[in-house]
DNA sequence: CAGCTTTTGTATCGAGTGGTAGATAAGTCA
DNA sequence: TGACTTATCTACCACTCGATACAAAAGCTG
């Protein structure tokens, strides 16, 4: 039983708007004026609900992670390492060019380098990017145990490779590359995951 | 024959310092206070020499391109498509983790998304990134003509792939990845450039 | 209704933003 | 030397930044 005046705005809707602003302008580039206008609330309401600009970003990142978690569930459900990689890269190509969102990836656009007073933002984003890499790595280790990833392969290296390509696709998308361009990058990247039907002995 | 009081600071030295600030903090995160302190000059000198904050960035980018041009000359001098790719990725792994500079790539860290009044910065950086991709593409087209790149390969796709991986490595390096991590990504990426000694027919 | 709690809007805080006016200093050229 | 040109410095501009004090409003509970 909550007492007092009820909140007059939908927190999740407001977070979606804030997410878009951070996504499009980065943390430093997103001003409180932009944020409050997009969210349809005044500064004091924002601070009452999220504590600070950084707290708002964190809440938006949580919501972003929620969105992506269903994609990752589908990705990790691939039946082989290659299929996982294929699903991962193609879903990235789709989501990073989804016209419903700003182009690219919030975890990249959000801020790789920030100014004084925002020094921890890049770390925050990096740690969230690392989560995806970890999920992939663990999936590949399992794939190796299951035998659908060659014993000579390095699950950690493959996961890091995919994560890196995903970040690169975020950069590419942010500069206006279209979906086909990203799909092409995905296709080339899959060379690192030899198709069973054309398997060949890889040295190194 | 220049008239008037001579400039009391070294423009190139000052640009190197400005470059480092933009590199570490991004365009929006780099304040004039930071810049002038790092450059060792006062604001009016900065504006007299470079016109504006944006002009300063452009001058720093020109200098950055100058630095990288010698690397690229070495890269493009590789004798086969694969060797070009190998040189490219390995030189990226080195330069993006060079302790003499901030980690990552200025063209990525500089600002993928900016605030009001800096909208054109991301485009500026993107167009500079595109130059490298173009150099690679033209080199690969030449490689195809020379016969050291399979006729079935797509030079444009390969160049875009490499450029994308390079951006991704920039993101990775910016979040503290060490040189070995980047080298590993480079090694995996080279799967897209089959070694002649283990050449295998690739469909698609 | 009254009493309590929380949110909302207005108006504003001090600090910092990019950028500049105007006086002074430091050189070159005649 | 003295006129001319350009750079540098101090001080400051109008504005925006993230964040907040305070009072009015809106709900629930008794």
């Amino acid at each position: 039983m909550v007492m007092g005046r009820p909140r007059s705005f939908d927190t999740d809707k407001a977070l979606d708007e804030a997410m878009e602003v951070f996504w499009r302008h980065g943390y430093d580039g997103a001003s409180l004026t932009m944020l409050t206008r997009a969210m349809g609330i005044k500064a004091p309401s924002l601070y009452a609900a999220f504590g600070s600009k950084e707290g708002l970003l964190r809440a938006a990142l949580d919501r972003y992670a929620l969105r992506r978690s269903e994609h990752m569930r589908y990705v990790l459900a691939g039946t082989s390492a290659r299929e996982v990689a294929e699903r991962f890269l193609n879903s990235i190509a789709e989501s990073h060019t989804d016209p419903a969102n700003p182009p690219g990836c919030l975890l990249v656009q959000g801020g790789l380098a920030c100014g004084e007073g925002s020094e921890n933002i890049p770390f925050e984003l990096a740690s969230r990017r690392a989560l995806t890499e970890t999920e992939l790595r663990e999936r590949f280790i399992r794939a190796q145990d299951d035998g659908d990833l060659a014993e000579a392969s390095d699950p950690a290296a493959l996961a890091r490779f995919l994560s890196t390509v995903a970040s690169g696709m975020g950069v590419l998308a942010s500069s206006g590359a279209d979906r086909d361009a990203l799909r092409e990058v995905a296709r080339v990247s899959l060379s690192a995951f030899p198709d069973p039907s054309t398997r060949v002995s890889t040295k190194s």
Side-chain angles (χ1 to χ4, degrees), chain A:
Chain A
M1 289 302 92
V2 283
M3 308 256 295
R5 177 173 176 174
R7 187 164 283 148
S8 67
F9 63 94
D10 182 325
T11 306
D12 287 342
K13 284 278 175 197
L15 272 180
D16 282 336
E17 300 298 331
M19 189 194 302
E20 160 131 6
V21 174
F22 283 130
W23 202 332
R24 200 175 293 282
H25 297 286
Y27 182 80
D28 279 343
S31 70
L32 275 244
T33 306
M34 284 173 159
L35 288 166
T36 53
R37 182 174 42 204
M39 298 167 81
I41 63 177
K42 309 290 180 177
S45 300
L46 191 161
Y47 280 85
F50 305 105
S52 65
K53 187 186 177 185
E54 191 171 332
L56 175 62
L57 174 69
R58 253 186 270 268
L61 289 177
D62 287 342
R63 197 158 165 74
Y64 186 73
L66 202 68
R67 274 196 204 177
R68 291 293 301 279
S69 68
E70 47 186 306
H71 288 259
M72 277 310 281
R73 211 173 330 112
Y74 163 75
V75 166
L76 298 174
T79 58
S80 68
R82 181 182 166 97
E83 191 180 352
V84 168
E86 204 164 352
R87 289 186 179 193
F88 178 73
L89 292 173
N90 284 327
S91 89
I92 297 267
E94 303 283 319
S95 66
H96 285 194
T97 56
D98 185 342
N101 302 319
C105 173
L106 173 58
L107 302 185
V108 173
Q109 310 269 328
L112 300 176
C114 286
E116 270 169 343
S118 326
E119 293 89 354
N120 34 341
I121 303 298
F123 291 102
E124 179 76 37
L125 297 182
S127 82
R128 309 232 179 195
R129 288 194 301 269
L131 289 181
T132 301
E133 184 182 322
T134 298
E135 287 182 298
L136 289 173
R137 182 174 56 247
E138 290 174 351
R139 177 65 185 83
F140 288 154
I141 290 175
R142 189 159 67 81
Q144 211 166 36
D145 293 344
D146 293 353
D148 55 57
L149 179 61
E151 204 58 42
S153 299
D154 182 343
L158 291 175
R160 185 150 50 202
F161 167 71
L162 285 186
S163 173
T164 302
V165 171
S167 295
M169 287 169 78
V171 175
L172 198 60
S174 80
S175 54
D178 64 8
R179 187 163 289 182
D180 283 342
L182 294 198
R183 278 201 266 245
E184 207 169 53
V185 171
R187 182 175 57 77
V188 175
S189 303
L190 284 173
S191 310
F193 295 80
D195 188 53
S197 65
T198 62
R199 180 79 56 85
V200 71
S201 69
T202 59
K203 54 182 179 183
S204 88

